[in-house]
Amino acid sequence: MIDYTTLFRANLPAAAVKYNGFPKYNFVGGHNDAGSVPVDDLIAAASNVLKREGSTLATYGLQSGPQGYRALREFLVKKLGRDAGIACAADDILITGGSQQALELVNSLLLEKGDTIVVEEASYGGFLSRVKRFGVNMVPLPLDKQGLDIEAVGRALADLKSKGIRPKYLYTIPTVQNPTASILPLERRHALIKLCESYGVPILEDECYSDLVWDGKRPQAMRGITGDDRVIYVGSFSKSIAPALRLGYIVAGWPLMSRLLSLKTDSGTGAIDQMVIAEYCEAHFDNHVVKLRKTLKRKLDAMVEAVGANFGTAAEFDYPDGGIFLWIKLPDSVDTAKLFQAASKEGVTLNPGAEWSVDPAYGQSRLRLCFANPTEQTIREGVAKLAEICNREFGVPTRIANVGR
């Protein structure tokens, strides 16, 4: 036998835990509502497109080239123009294996060990963990109920410039921020663009949740405001259709696109996924998303009610403007990483806030709960169970539904 541990490269992430199924009360990850997956329409789309174009599977790229299935890119041109105010062409879009690959490609293009980026103090955990592997310095930017504090961004960029540091980019999730679910107002978007331009700092705009704004109205994307590569735009179908369909995309001009393509060495994103989603979305996307929003908001209301009933004033949060997460602040005495360990043993999982924060101390008493996948009854039961465990481990909450512990 060979001891492979003697051959591993340095700085590997921790070993994965073997999958043993989802827990009874699963509030982690970006899973979506199972009943909202449009199975019948996807079956019909698959049948139609494969009958019509299945022979193109004989070639890498489906005769559409390395940027992805052209019909899907053409759908995105229309969708982004209408919904996000982005004027682009199909050749400005690269289809990727989910938004994670999109972010990874941008990081591989721009980042080296020792570089600096500026990022929201609470942010997408998958992004934070990957950037750390690059050996990059992350400067946290404070958030309020409306997203990035622009004055604080200005102070941070000025401080970095005084030290001779030019950040490689500013990473933001402006529309339904992950994990806070805030939406950056249009005036702040204009101010942020102007500020970053004055310091020569590009913006990496991640809009994976922008289809899930409750009223369907969202501010224009910053990529749409600039119309050029001052902003690199990343989006996804994972939250609007289904996360298991690993489809994301990047919007960028050719000078950047040509470099991103040279880094994308996977011989192409899943072909059938692209074909089916393009066929489905052309006919059904808008109606589907309207229904999905209603379902998700109903589940959110169930979670908000359950948190209020079981945690009372011990749990602080802002009502989300959209998305699939509730970001909660518990009293400082609660360590949500330890809460996760205790709760997971009893079938309740959550995302500890430290994993979604640039500064782990900021996130220590915070947690993220995903409400999209569990049923409303499961949400109520799971939140009640979590409150019981939290009280047992940390003495929080002291009261539940106005009844003393």
Side-chain angles (χ1 to χ4, degrees), residues 27 299 302-303 306 371 374-384:
F27 299 129
K299 289 189 169 187
M303 177 167 280
F371 53 80
T375 65
E376 292 170 56
Q377 182 60 31
T378 301
I379 288 171
R380 295 186 182 96
E381 293 175 1
V383 170

Side-chain angles (χ1 to χ4, degrees), residues 28 51 54 64 81 105 121 138 159 165 217 255 259 279 296 303 311 315 320 349 392:
V28 303
K51 286 178 181 177
S64 291
L105 287 170
E121 63 184 351
M138 289 185 283
D159 180 63
I165 299 172
K217 300 175 183 178
R259 294 291 188 151
E279 188 81 5
L296 294 177
M303 177 167 280
F311 281 89
T349 55
R392 186 183 70 224

Side-chain angles (χ1 to χ4, degrees), residues 223-298:
R223 173 77 192 195
I225 295 170
T226 65
D228 57 34
D229 285 339
R230 281 174 286 176
V231 179
I232 303 171
Y233 186 91
V234 170
S236 172
F237 289 97
S238 294
K239 309 312 173 191
S240 55
I241 306 293
L245 292 168
R246 305 304 303 141
L247 290 179
Y249 51 92
I250 303 172
V251 181
W254 183 250
L256 284 178
M257 184 65 70
S258 62
R259 294 291 188 151
L260 292 166
L261 283 169
S262 68
L263 292 168
K264 192 174 185 292
T265 57
D266 59 1
S267 299
T269 302
I272 293 178
D273 288 358
Q274 293 186 67
M275 296 169 75
V276 173
I277 290 303
E279 188 81 5
Y280 169 80
C281 285
E282 191 64 41
H284 303 292
F285 183 85
D286 293 343
N287 289 337
H288 163 74
V289 169
V290 168
K291 294 176 183 176
L292 177 61
R293 290 182 195 129
K294 292 178 180 177
T295 298
L296 294 177
K297 189 174 185 301
R298 188 172 65 246

Side-chain angles (χ1 to χ4, degrees), residues 54-65:
S55 62
T56 62
L57 291 169
T59 59
Y60 289 101
L62 300 169
Q63 299 181 359
S64 291

Side-chain angles (χ1 to χ4, degrees), residues 202-216:
I203 296 171
L204 178 53
E205 181 178 23
D206 184 348
E207 292 231 294
C208 288
Y209 298 89
S210 59
D211 291 319
L212 302 182
V213 179
W214 300 138
D215 63 4

Side-chain angles (χ1 to χ4, degrees), residues 2 4 10 33 41-42 56-57 77 133 201 260 297 307 339 359 384 396:
I2 296 174
Y4 275 94
D33 179 65
D41 288 333
L42 290 173
T56 62
L57 291 169
V77 168
R133 296 177 195 173
V201 178
L260 292 166
K297 189 174 185 301
V307 170
L339 177 61
D359 178 4
V396 173

Side-chain angles (χ1 to χ4, degrees), residues 39-56:
V39 176
D40 290 339
D41 288 333
L42 290 173
I43 291 171
S47 178
N48 291 339
V49 74
L50 288 173
K51 286 178 181 177
R52 189 178 68 244
E53 300 181 44
S55 62
T56 62

